[in-house]
Amino acid sequence: KEQYTQLDQLDYLTAIFGGNVKIKTVYGWENIDLEPGTQSGHEMRLFNLGLTSQYSRRKGDHVQLY
């Protein structure tokens, strides 16, 4: 299953020039690199970091919204 979260605070300089952002997933904190010029509403998909399916034991994706 997919899990959607939205980043509460994003420094505008990090959005413009890019940088490292720390986000919380189901499995703990992950550091991701944000590309320069990231726009509001951008989605970043983190594969296999979402919720585990109760039927197939397969991990879903974590989708981070900016």
Side-chain angles (χ1 to χ4, degrees):
K1 294 199 168 209
E2 293 179 343
Q3 176 188 3
Y4 287 86
T5 58
Q6 187 165 0
L7 192 62
D8 294 331
Q9 298 290 327
L10 179 61
D11 181 22
Y12 72 94
L13 291 176
T14 305
I16 294 170
F17 297 114
N20 197 344
V21 178
K22 194 173 190 179
I23 61 168
K24 185 168 179 149
T25 67
V26 175
Y27 304 102
W29 291 95
E30 290 288 326
N31 289 320
I32 58 171
D33 290 324
L34 199 61
E35 295 182 16
T38 300
Q39 298 290 319
S40 177
H42 175 77
E43 288 187 1
M44 178 177 278
R45 185 173 298 272
L46 304 173
F47 297 101
N48 295 322
L49 289 178
L51 300 173
T52 304
S53 172
Q54 64 182 0
Y55 301 110
S56 66
R57 307 284 298 162
R58 181 180 170 270
K59 291 182 183 176
D61 299 335
H62 180 103
V63 180
Q64 182 68 42
L65 305 174
Y66 297 101

